[in-house]
Structure formats: C-alpha cells, structure tokens
Amino acid sequence: MSLRQLLLRLPCYLGASGPRRGPLDTISSVVSWRGQSSRSPAHWNQVVSEAEKIVGYPTSFMSLRCLLSDELSNIAMQVRKLVGTQHPLLTTASQRSLAEITELIHTALLVHRGIVNLDELQSSDGPLKDMQFGNKIAILSGDFLLANACNGLALLQNTKVVELLASALMDLVQGVYHENSTSAKENHITDDIGILTWKKQTFLSHGALLAKSCQAAMELAKHDAEVQDMAFQYGKHMAMSHKINSDLQPFIKEKTSDSLTFNLNSAPVVLHQEFLGRDLWMKQIREAQRKGRLDYAKLRETISAGKGVTSAIDLCRYHGNKALEALESFPPSEARTALENIVFAVTRFS
C-alpha cells in the first residue's frame, strides 16, 4: 500500500467529538501524546505494516482473483443497499475512493514525467521510432489515469473535494514546471534557488496533493473547517518531512555507490550552498568536474563535510514536529498512533 493511500485512509479512523466519530474511534490508544508509542517503531516497513492493519488488508495482497471473487461481489452488493443512509461504513468507502483517486493522479504524473526528451537520445538508447512510440503510450496512459481520477471525483458528489483535488493537480503541474525549468540542463541545476524557494516549489510538487487530499478526507467525513485544517497541516508537513528524508538518503546511507548521482537542488545541497555562498559553491562544482562531467562521489564528500546535511536533518525533524502538533487536536486512537509512528520513522536518523 502506498504512503498516500495509507495516509488518506487512516484519517477515517481518527474521529472527533460528537456524532461524527469514525468506526474504530471506540478503540483508544494507551499511548500518551507527548511520548512515543510503547512499542517504538524501529523500521519504516514495520510502521507501515502496523498502519495497514488498521485500515484493512494491504493492497499488495489484492489480486484479480480477489476482486472477481463471489464473496467480494456479495459484499459490494450489500454496501450498495446502504446508499442514502447515514451508516459510517459509507463514509469509509468514500475515503477509500479518495485515496485511490489521489494515487491515480500521482501515478499519472509519474507516467507523464517518464516521457523521453528525443533531442537528448543517444544511439545506445534504442531506435528513434520505438522511443517515439513509447512517448505516445506514456502520454495516453497518463491521460487515461487522469480521466479515471476525474470520473471518480465526480462520483464522490462533493464540490469542495473536487475543488481541492483540482487545485492540487494545478499545484503539481506548476511545481513540476519549476523543477524542469531548473534541471533541464546541467549548468542550470546549480541555480541559487535558496531554501525558502525550495520549500515553496517542494510543497507544490510533493506536498500539495497529500495535504489537500487529507483535508478532503475530513470534508468527506463531514468534519468542520478547523479539523480539516489540521488534516491539511499534517499532510503538508508529513510530505515535506518525507521529501527531505528522501533527499538525505545519498548522504547518510552507510553503503552508497560511488556512481550514485543526486539532485543538486535537493534539500542538503541547497542548504550547503546557502552556508557557503554562491561563489564558493560554484568553485566546489568546478573542482568536482572531470572531463566536463561531475564527480558525484567527490561532491558528496564535500557536501557531507559541511553543514547542509545536519541542517537538512534538523529541517526534516522540524516538519515532523509540525505534523505531530497537527495530530494533537485529534483524540487518542490507534489511527493517530499509526500516523505519529509514520512521522517518527521518517524523522529518525540514528
């Protein structure tokens, strides 16, 4: 199950005071807010596995045989009988649909980003005709996924949710446009964007979809604006923390391939550049070049020796703490503990 699907289905079980409580809200957590769980989440896979138990079986266990089984079809028929009622099961099924829609949008974007720049093809990449055909398939496949996402949004019959997801898609496109404009050519990827600009661009390309989808999940559960904002804040800061954690991996992994490249607009690099200043940074870039190509192993050592990596770790934990603060407004539950544990797993570096 992907992180986005998990984070969107868990809010259904957070609940709140009053009649809008989720189906598992009667199960309270034995964990206090300020402390971590009694079973400290040691690994990412463990945390995700425990969270999947709350929302149901993981999608990796789903198969075509399962989807076509008589038992599942019978359950679907019984659920349809609940349409028009106020049974909380229907709210759960609306939020599961939202998670799948969000995943469709994200996957469509990944497919579209896989389009090859034909002007940069090498003879070893394959025949031009085949690459052109691959691009056409990527475009059509991405468009197909987006069309299905739009259809699913319409079936939710909630104009605010449609507005939120539509604006998230607009943010995604804008964020990717900025990313492409700074990384299209090697001499452009060292632009002095600054950490504030990096945060804005990263929110657009990596945080907006999750943040607004979390807010939409609360809207589907008919929670008020304050609860929706807390869900938005959790999604935003969780996404930022997760992205920074991903950016840090080339610099903190014990075993890293010398040939492994990394984005020169990633968080540790941007922070490293801010500490050094533009002139010194460009000098380090030139010193790491060999025959017109960057020696990423040497550049990685240079960056690791500076303050960029430790500052990125601090920034990751800052956003993690902000995500935890947003969860404080929800009552204790297994779902909240699972969301907290996900944050703990992303912000742990030792």
Side-chain angles (χ1 to χ4, degrees):
M1 183 179 295
S2 73
L3 176 65
R4 286 164 298 281
Q5 287 180 316
L6 195 59
L7 293 181
L8 291 181
R9 290 174 61 186
L10 279 172
C12 175
Y13 304 101
L14 283 174
S17 58
R20 297 173 181 171
R21 298 172 68 84
L24 292 187
D25 284 327
T26 54
I27 306 176
S28 61
S29 173
V30 296
V31 182
S32 64
W33 155 243
R34 290 300 176 188
Q36 294 191 17
S37 65
S38 55
R39 294 178 297 166
S40 180
H43 302 288
W44 172 260
N45 291 339
Q46 175 189 344
V47 169
V48 172
S49 178
E50 291 179 353
E52 285 176 335
K53 294 175 184 177
I54 298 176
V55 299
Y57 53 82
T59 52
S60 58
F61 290 161
M62 292 186 66
S63 64
L64 186 60
R65 179 182 300 175
C66 175
L67 291 174
L68 297 178
S69 67
D70 293 337
E71 292 83 0
L72 200 62
S73 298
N74 183 56
I75 292 174
M77 291 178 62
Q78 299 304 321
V79 170
R80 290 192 189 100
K81 295 180 181 179
L82 296 175
V83 174
T85 71
Q86 299 299 317
H87 196 282
L89 178 61
L90 282 184
T91 301
T92 304
S94 295
Q95 287 176 324
R96 178 162 186 166
S97 296
L98 176 63
E100 292 169 352
I101 290 166
T102 301
E103 189 68 13
L104 280 175
I105 294 174
H106 177 74
T107 304
L109 179 69
L110 293 180
V111 171
H112 277 161
R113 294 182 74 170
I115 296 173
V116 176
N117 186 346
L118 299 179
D119 294 333
E120 298 178 356
L121 282 180
Q122 304 292 329
S123 57
S124 59
D125 293 329
L128 177 62
K129 183 178 180 181
D130 292 343
M131 303 302 287
Q132 289 174 331
F133 178 75
N135 277 357
K136 291 178 182 179
I137 293 299
I139 293 172
L140 290 175
S141 300
D143 290 348
F144 175 77
L145 294 176
L146 283 177
N148 275 273
C150 292
N151 182 62
L153 275 176
L155 292 176
L156 291 179
Q157 298 182 351
N158 187 304
T159 54
K160 184 172 181 180
V161 170
V162 173
E163 179 183 352
L164 284 169
L165 270 293
S167 65
L169 181 57
M170 180 179 68
D171 291 337
L172 268 174
V173 173
Q174 184 179 350
V176 172
Y177 173 80
H178 286 305
E179 283 185 359
N180 290 340
S181 65
T182 58
S183 62
K185 297 180 180 179
E186 189 167 340
N187 63 338
H188 286 169
I189 59 179
T190 57
D191 283 350
D192 186 9
I193 63 172
I195 195 61
L196 291 180
T197 302
W198 181 90
K199 282 186 175 183
K200 293 178 182 178
Q201 293 182 2
T202 301
F203 171 74
L204 291 175
S205 58
H206 292 86
L209 180 61
L210 182 59
K212 293 183 178 181
S213 295
C214 286
Q215 180 180 352
M218 294 294 97
E219 163 65 22
L220 285 177
K222 303 186 186 304
H223 290 296
D224 58 30
E226 182 179 357
V227 175
Q228 290 183 32
D229 181 64
M230 290 298 100
F232 175 91
Q233 295 300 326
Y234 176 82
K236 171 187 173 181
H237 290 291
M238 177 61 215
M240 295 293 289
S241 185
H242 187 267
K243 178 60 170 61
I244 298 170
N245 180 286
S246 177
D247 285 354
L248 279 163
Q249 292 308 306
F251 302 95
I252 62 177
K253 282 186 176 179
E254 294 183 0
K255 296 182 179 180
T256 303
S257 172
D258 289 341
S259 61
L260 180 65
T261 62
F262 51 87
N263 192 333
L264 294 187
N265 281 327
S266 61
V269 182
V270 171
L271 287 165
H272 175 77
Q273 178 179 332
E274 280 206 342
F275 282 114
L276 283 181
R278 177 69 173 174
D279 293 338
L280 285 178
W281 169 238
M282 293 307 299
K283 180 182 178 181
Q284 290 183 348
I285 289 289
R286 289 191 296 269
E287 291 175 348
Q289 286 182 333
R290 293 181 179 177
K291 297 180 180 180
R293 299 180 67 88
L294 275 176
D295 183 346
Y296 281 92
K298 181 178 181 179
L299 192 60
R300 182 170 57 246
E301 291 179 2
T302 302
I303 295 171
S304 298
K307 299 179 180 179
V309 173
T310 55
S311 296
I313 291 176
D314 290 341
L315 185 61
C316 179
R317 288 171 174 163
Y318 165 81
H319 285 289
N321 287 334
K322 286 294 184 181
L324 293 174
E325 287 178 12
L327 287 177
E328 189 174 9
S329 60
F330 294 96
S333 66
E334 282 193 337
R336 196 183 85 171
T337 300
L339 291 170
E340 291 169 354
N341 286 344
I342 289 174
V343 175
F344 295 142
V346 169
T347 55
R348 176 173 294 157
F349 296 96
S350 60

